[in-house]
Amino acid sequence: MTESIHHSGEDAPTPTSVDSEMPQPQSPTDANGLTSRGPRRADVDMPDSSRLDLKDDDGYEEEPILIPQSSHSLLFTEEVCSLSFAFGLGIMVLSFLSLILALLNNLGKGEPGNLLGIPVQVDSSVRGAQYLAIIIGMLLEEEIPQSFYLLRMIPKHSLKQRFSRMKYWQFVLSTTIRLMMGYIFISNMFLVIAQASGVLDIFYDMLALQFIQMLDDIAFRLAKIDVFGKRLKIATSRKCFSVVFERPSFRSRKPINILLKSLYFVNLIGLLSGLIVVSVKQIKGEFHCDSLFITFGDDIWEDSIIKLPNGTISTRVLLYSYFNGVYTRNGTHDGLPIYTEQNKLSSTRFETTIPAEIMYCKSEGSWVFLHQNIRKSKSDNDECPWLLRSIETTEYNILDVGRRLESMGWKIQGWLV
């Protein structure tokens, strides 16, 4: 009798191979069954835009794309006839008016021949601070890059897909307002830097401009903490300000990226070039008056020492009023202009007569009036043998000094040719 033996599937022997017997390296897995090495990029279900933009996800974390928490954003997140839209519009008008009034005030400091009101000269410390302030100002200015960032990262189809009720033209209007405010800020910044005569003046004025530019952010935060009422709190706390937009492909936003970087570079080079032009003109003395009309009053010097044309020395009474008249810029001394006396009849240079001069002497710390052949005493051999001098001053502009000398009898009028 033949006995047959039946093996169950569990007991049936399985064929073996060398490969199956070799131990296989195991990777530790987490609770989701993923190895510790992390998922391969091809295994992740990424949006199409991310597949085209792997560069943005390779080695660094991208900033999420959000609607800025600013009162300017209320111009497109809210209905036109709403209170919150009017609030955003009011803050925008307030910021615009402040920047424009500051610009008009800065432009009003000009005069014929010096329309921007540039100081005639500045110290080296001030000049160095001016160039540093240009770079700092470009870092402080965020409206221009912010506007281009929004336009390149939130295209029309993305905005409509997320929030169908929002109007894209209002979104573009909001970014355009940012752009305009940015350039008004830059214009003001250049003027306050170019017009400054002190280091602290530069940075105080720049901080004031930066405060004006931040009004939209400050107003939004105050509205969000219920300072201006419940309706504005609701408007500034909407979910649209926390929704992350899908990142456009690198290819689609590349042109605006190039435009933004180019524009930033052009703005910086333009400001630096303008400041270089101002500095060169100051060094050359082009902002100083070309001509002065001076009256010295009725003062006299009874025992002045005068060298006569024949070389002899004589003591005579010096009438300062004799030297009243026109003085024109002719050379420099200690980096500041020398003004030379002109012919009384024709207002041209003397042909044979030695003229009087007005200049700034650092050794005296004053603007001085002197004459090559006239001294106060025989022993007067100073570097600047002055006959009259102003009070001690570091003022580079002789017109500003002249306003303080009227009590001494000096009257100075000047003009640029």
Side-chain angles (χ1 to χ4, degrees):
M1 182 175 179
T2 306
E3 184 178 0
S4 61
I5 300 175
H6 299 280
H7 299 279
S8 66
E10 296 176 343
D11 300 325
T14 57
T16 61
S17 66
V18 175
D19 293 335
S20 64
E21 292 178 353
M22 293 292 290
Q24 299 296 319
Q26 298 294 324
S27 298
T29 59
D30 59 17
N32 297 320
L34 299 177
T35 66
S36 60
R37 297 177 183 177
R40 292 177 296 172
R41 192 182 297 276
D43 296 332
V44 180
D45 185 16
M46 296 182 297
D48 293 338
S49 62
S50 297
R51 293 182 186 276
L52 294 174
D53 198 15
L54 299 181
K55 180 184 293 186
D56 291 344
D57 194 33
D58 189 11
Y60 60 93
E61 183 179 354
E62 287 285 350
E63 185 77 12
I65 304 171
L66 301 168
I67 294 176
Q69 295 194 10
S70 159
S71 62
H72 296 332
S73 298
L74 299 177
L75 298 178
F76 66 90
T77 62
E78 300 300 310
E79 297 294 336
V80 174
C81 296
S82 64
L83 173 64
S84 47
F85 180 90
F87 176 77
L89 184 64
I91 297 298
M92 181 270 292
V93 171
L94 180 63
S95 301
F96 252 112
L97 285 178
S98 300
L99 287 173
I100 289 174
L101 288 175
L103 182 63
L104 293 176
N105 179 71
N106 290 325
L107 290 174
K109 297 178 182 179
E111 56 187 13
N114 185 5
L115 297 178
L116 297 182
I118 308 297
V120 295
Q121 185 61 277
V122 294
D123 293 331
S124 57
S125 60
V126 175
R127 181 162 290 118
Q130 287 176 326
Y131 286 95
L132 290 177
I134 290 289
I135 298 174
I136 294 172
M138 289 300 297
L139 295 175
L140 289 176
E141 204 298 301
E142 59 180 7
E143 297 294 357
I144 295 175
Q146 179 81 297
S147 61
F148 279 97
Y149 177 83
L150 292 174
L151 288 173
R152 69 175 173 168
M153 290 300 189
I154 307 181
K156 183 177 181 179
H157 66 84
S158 182
L159 184 68
K160 299 300 290 184
Q161 180 183 2
R162 293 284 187 177
F163 307 104
S164 57
R165 68 179 183 84
M166 292 185 186
K167 304 294 190 299
Y168 189 69
W169 69 266
Q170 290 178 245
F171 172 77
V172 174
L173 175 64
S174 175
T175 56
T176 303
I177 289 171
R178 288 179 177 275
L179 189 65
M180 294 172 62
M181 289 185 63
Y183 275 104
I184 297 176
F185 173 88
I186 286 179
S187 301
N188 271 303
M189 180 185 72
F190 179 79
L191 287 176
V192 298
I193 291 174
Q195 293 174 351
S197 56
V199 174
L200 291 180
D201 295 340
I202 296 174
F203 297 110
Y204 284 150
D205 289 341
M206 287 183 60
L207 286 175
L209 291 173
Q210 178 65 9
F211 173 76
I212 295 174
Q213 198 177 39
M214 291 175 60
L215 284 178
D216 58 306
D217 299 326
I218 297 172
F220 188 94
R221 287 196 292 270
L222 291 176
K224 196 172 183 179
I225 61 175
D226 200 12
V227 173
F228 301 122
K230 186 175 181 180
R231 282 191 288 178
L232 287 175
K233 180 181 179 181
I234 293 173
T236 53
S237 303
R238 296 193 191 279
K239 291 183 178 180
C240 63
F241 291 105
S242 58
V243 171
V244 178
F245 286 82
E246 183 179 358
R247 187 170 298 277
S249 66
F250 180 76
R251 185 182 302 113
S252 65
R253 69 176 192 265
K254 184 177 180 180
I256 300 184
N257 281 348
I258 295 174
L259 176 62
L260 174 58
K261 293 175 182 177
S262 301
L263 192 61
Y264 201 86
F265 180 77
V266 168
N267 290 340
L268 178 60
I269 294 301
L271 291 172
L272 289 175
S273 299
L275 190 57
I276 289 173
V277 171
V278 169
S279 298
V280 170
K281 287 189 173 184
Q282 285 177 327
I283 293 171
K284 290 182 176 180
E286 294 186 17
F287 294 115
H288 287 281
C289 291
D290 291 304
S291 298
L292 302 173
F293 185 85
I294 301 179
T295 57
F296 293 104
D298 299 325
D299 290 340
I300 62 173
W301 192 285
E302 294 185 353
D303 298 319
S304 65
I305 307 300
I306 298 177
K307 182 179 180 181
L308 300 176
N310 60 10
T312 59
I313 302 299
S314 174
T315 301
R316 298 186 180 183
V317 175
L318 173 63
L319 301 175
Y320 287 103
S321 59
Y322 177 80
F323 295 97
N324 293 348
V326 175
Y327 288 69
T328 60
R329 185 155 55 101
N330 181 26
T332 61
H333 181 265
D334 286 341
L336 293 173
I338 298 173
Y339 291 98
T340 304
E341 181 188 13
Q342 302 296 293
N343 188 292
K344 301 293 186 292
L345 299 178
S346 61
S347 296
T348 59
R349 291 186 180 183
F350 288 111
E351 295 183 0
T352 57
T353 303
I354 297 177
E357 293 178 329
I358 295 174
M359 65 177 69
Y360 184 83
C361 282
K362 287 185 177 179
S363 60
E364 299 292 335
S366 306
W367 286 87
V368 300
F369 166 74
L370 49 79
H371 193 284
Q372 179 179 335
N373 290 338
I374 303 176
R375 298 288 188 273
K376 298 187 297 298
S377 66
K378 292 182 179 180
S379 60
D380 189 355
N381 294 315
D382 295 339
E383 178 185 352
C384 287
W386 53 271
L387 303 175
L388 281 176
R389 67 176 180 177
S390 70
I391 57 176
E392 290 192 18
T393 179
T394 57
E395 179 59 60
Y396 295 113
N397 191 349
I398 191 172
L399 293 182
D400 292 337
V401 176
R403 296 185 186 101
R404 299 197 294 267
L405 294 177
E406 291 186 3
S407 60
M408 298 172 58
W410 293 42
K411 291 185 179 180
I412 304 176
Q413 295 177 318
W415 57 91
L416 286 165
V417 177

